[in-house]
């Protein structure tokens, strides 16, 4: 079966067409600037990447251009829509309504809409993509795969906040966590690489990208994760603050004359390593180069990021009363040897020893701990699109 995987944003749409038997990516691409002027980047397997400007007033036109590219006589990879057996949609927030991926129905769409308040920037865009696909591919089964679903196994002691209980009862204010598709994929792959049953391991997955989160996976289930009601909580990230003293908000609001919107913009877009580096960059390549050249804010930003990761790893080792495997994934986790080394340097008490030569590798599966290490540490490239395709095939 060929599965079309869709990751829809408010003005963009990523896609991959994956053959479920071979798990090869037949084609992939990106629609950008939807609703403005529009462009499509398309790359078939083994072919060149081609970018073309196309007017995309809505996501429906974007989906149509994707279908046209996939079925094009010259560069397409399928002859017709009949060769696409299902569509898997990434949906950011499923609230408490969805603990698993589901086949999309009218009832499912309504339930996703009811979670819009929890992810106002993401869920409405995800729904737009679903409806556009339904319009153009009415006979094709579709599946919603939720970022939050994997974390629905967390116990109350992990997901409840120290707030009045009425806010949970009335508004479902609690920790939900994100990157669930990645945490699930990587933790399962870590068990395979370790050669041990998934249901018997204590694993900590460090998904470190511009958005970053850590997850404790015990016996195959998420038991805690660093992101919360929204993706703002937890680690210091590219431009997001992560955990802070809530009273800071009132303090800065008064000093800078900021309203709620201004504060949220500051926390989401001007903070993290970008803010810490005195607005040098949110790219860790720039931060590393800056630190090496003596840029003090860049050095501080790197150290704070790595320290926060190490603190969460230690917390989750305590939460699970031990850890067997640690996995680094996503853009920073897969490619920054400096970040991995700085984090692991803080974890000697767990009996971890680093193989520095192995740690110099980038973007490939590799064991970076030594044979003597009491905890196995891996680099494992994440593949959320493949995970979505697998979930989709399992349901349809």
């Amino acid at each position: 079966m060929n599965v079309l995987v869709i990751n829809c944003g408010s003005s963009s749409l990523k896609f991959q067409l994956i053959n479920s038997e071979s798990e090869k990516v037949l084609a992939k691409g990106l629609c950008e600037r939807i609703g403005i002027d529009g462009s499509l980047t398309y790359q078939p397997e083994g072919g060149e990447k081609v970018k073309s400007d196309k007017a995309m007033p809505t996501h429906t036109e974007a989906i149509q251009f994707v279908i046209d590219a996939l079925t094009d006589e010259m560069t397409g990879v399928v002859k017709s829509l009949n060769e696409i057996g299902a569509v898997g949609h990434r949906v950011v927030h499923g609230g408490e309504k969805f603990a698993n991926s589901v086949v999309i129905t009218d009832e499912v769409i309504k339930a996703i809409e009811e979670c819009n308040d929890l992810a106002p920037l993401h869920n409405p865009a995800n729904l737009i993509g679903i409806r556009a696909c339904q319009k153009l591919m009415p006979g094709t089964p579709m599946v919603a795969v939720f970022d939050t679903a994997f974390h629905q196994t967390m116990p109350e002691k992990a997901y409840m906040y120290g707030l009045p209980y009425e806010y949970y009862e009335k508004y479902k204010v609690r920790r939900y966590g994100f990157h669930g598709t990645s945490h699930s994929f990587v933790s399962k792959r870590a068990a395979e690489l370790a050669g041990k049953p998934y249901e018997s391991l204590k694993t900590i997955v460090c998904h470190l990208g511009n958005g970053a989160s850590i997850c404790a996976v015990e016996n195959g289930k998420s038991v805690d994760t660093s992101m919360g009601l929204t993706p703002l909580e937890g680690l210091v990230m590219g431009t997001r603050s992560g955990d802070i003293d809530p009273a800071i908000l009132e303090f800065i609001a008064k000093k800078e004359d900021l309203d709620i919107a201004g504060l949220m913009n500051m926390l989401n877009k001007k903070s993290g390593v970008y803010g810490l580096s005195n607005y040098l960059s949110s790219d860790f390549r720039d931060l590393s180069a800056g630190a090496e050249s003596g840029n003090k804010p860049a050095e501080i930003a790197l150290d704070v990021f790595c320290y926060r990761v190490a603190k969460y790893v230690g917390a989750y080792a305590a939460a699970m009363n031990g850890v067997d495997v640690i996995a680094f994934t996503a853009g920073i986790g897969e490619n920054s040897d400096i970040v991995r080394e700085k984090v692991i340097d803080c974890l000697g008490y767990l009996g971890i020893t680093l193989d520095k030569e192995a740690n110099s590798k980038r973007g490939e599966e590799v064991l970076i701990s030594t044979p003597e290490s009491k905890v196995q540490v891996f680099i494992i490239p994440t593949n959320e699109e493949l995970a979505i395709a697998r979930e989709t095939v399992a349901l349809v």
Side-chain angles (χ1 to χ4, degrees):
M1 181 192 293
N2 294 325
V3 179
L4 179 60
V5 176
I6 298 289
N7 182 351
C8 202
S10 57
S11 62
S12 66
L13 186 152
K14 296 180 189 175
F15 67 92
Q16 286 191 9
L17 185 67
I18 297 173
N19 179 278
S20 65
E21 284 79 26
S22 65
E23 296 196 335
K24 285 186 177 180
V25 177
L26 304 180
K28 61 183 178 181
L30 171 67
C31 297
E32 297 179 279
R33 297 175 66 81
I34 299 170
I36 307 172
D37 41 22
S39 68
L40 169 67
T41 302
Y42 173 76
Q43 184 176 20
E45 181 189 13
E48 294 293 320
K49 185 184 292 185
V50 178
K51 186 172 182 177
S52 54
D53 294 329
K54 294 179 179 289
M56 301 178 189
T58 71
H59 288 70
T60 301
E61 286 82 10
I63 297 287
Q64 184 64 64
F65 287 132
V66 170
I67 291 170
D68 292 345
L70 293 171
T71 56
D72 183 84
E73 286 187 10
M74 299 294 291
T75 59
V77 293
V78 293
K79 293 180 180 178
S80 73
L81 280 180
N82 294 333
E83 294 182 41
I84 300 176
V87 182
H89 292 269
R90 177 196 180 214
V91 180
V92 168
H93 218 305
E96 291 188 329
K97 300 175 186 295
F98 299 103
N100 296 288
S101 302
V102 292
V103 175
I104 295 172
T105 63
D106 290 343
E107 290 75 20
V108 167
I109 288 176
K110 183 179 179 182
I112 293 172
E113 287 176 336
E114 290 170 357
C115 297
N116 281 0
D117 284 349
L118 296 172
L121 298 178
H122 296 90
N123 272 31
N126 301 152
L127 285 164
I128 289 170
I130 290 170
R131 291 190 174 104
C133 282
Q134 287 179 326
K135 181 178 179 180
L136 296 170
M137 307 170 71
T140 306
M142 300 191 188
V143 168
V145 180
F146 300 91
D147 277 13
T148 52
F150 182 61
H151 303 302
Q152 282 297 300
T153 52
M154 285 191 293
E156 290 173 337
K157 64 182 179 183
Y159 71 68
M160 290 297 293
Y161 288 116
L163 295 170
Y165 191 72
E166 63 180 299
Y167 296 143
Y168 171 69
E169 291 183 304
K170 290 194 289 188
Y171 312 120
K172 297 301 177 186
V173 174
R174 50 158 286 183
R175 180 184 309 281
Y176 288 99
F178 299 87
H179 297 138
T181 308
S182 175
H183 287 302
S184 175
F185 178 88
V186 171
S187 59
K188 288 170 183 170
R189 184 59 184 150
E192 291 174 2
L193 293 174
K196 295 175 182 176
Y198 184 51
E199 295 76 16
S200 69
L201 282 180
K202 296 175 180 179
T203 305
I204 297 174
V205 178
C206 303
H207 179 109
L208 308 180
N210 191 53
S213 67
I214 297 184
C215 182
V217 184
E218 185 172 11
N219 304 330
K221 295 180 179 180
S222 171
V223 294
D224 208 342
T225 191
S226 57
M227 284 180 169
L229 175 75
T230 75
L232 183 57
E233 188 183 359
L235 301 174
V236 170
M237 305 178 218
T239 62
R240 297 178 203 152
S241 66
D243 299 338
I244 63 168
D245 177 350
I248 291 172
L249 300 181
E250 181 188 18
F251 182 84
I252 292 178
K254 289 178 177 178
K255 295 289 186 183
E256 298 287 327
D257 192 26
L258 292 176
D259 59 11
I260 290 292
L263 287 171
M264 295 309 295
N265 184 62
M266 179 270 291
L267 291 172
N268 278 293
K269 297 181 180 180
K270 297 181 179 180
S271 299
V273 294
Y274 175 62
L276 276 169
S277 66
N278 203 20
Y279 310 121
L280 171 66
S281 180
S282 62
D283 190 310
F284 276 67
R285 291 167 293 190
D286 298 334
L287 296 176
S288 298
E292 286 178 13
S293 66
N295 183 311
K296 186 64 175 177
E299 183 181 338
I300 290 171
L302 269 176
D303 285 344
V304 169
F305 177 84
C306 297
Y307 178 69
R308 185 69 65 86
V309 172
K311 279 178 67 176
Y312 264 100
V313 171
Y316 289 164
M320 296 189 293
N321 196 19
V323 57
D324 302 305
V325 176
I326 296 172
F328 288 91
T329 193
I332 300 162
E334 294 168 25
N335 295 297
S336 178
D337 57 337
I338 294 172
V339 168
R340 293 191 299 264
E341 184 171 352
K342 280 179 173 286
V343 171
I344 291 170
D345 279 349
C346 297
L347 304 176
Y349 68 95
L350 292 173
I352 298 174
T353 50
L354 179 68
D355 181 334
K356 291 195 175 183
E357 183 178 348
N359 188 49
S360 66
K361 302 288 178 65
R362 294 167 54 90
E364 60 182 279
E365 284 187 349
V366 60
L367 176 69
I368 61 172
S369 54
T370 66
E372 298 79 27
S373 182
K374 292 182 180 179
V375 178
Q376 289 183 293
V377 184
F378 293 96
I379 303 170
I380 301 177
T382 191
N383 194 333
E384 293 175 271
E385 290 80 12
L386 177 57
I388 290 171
R390 287 175 175 173
E391 293 273 331
T392 300
V393 170
L395 283 169
V396 304

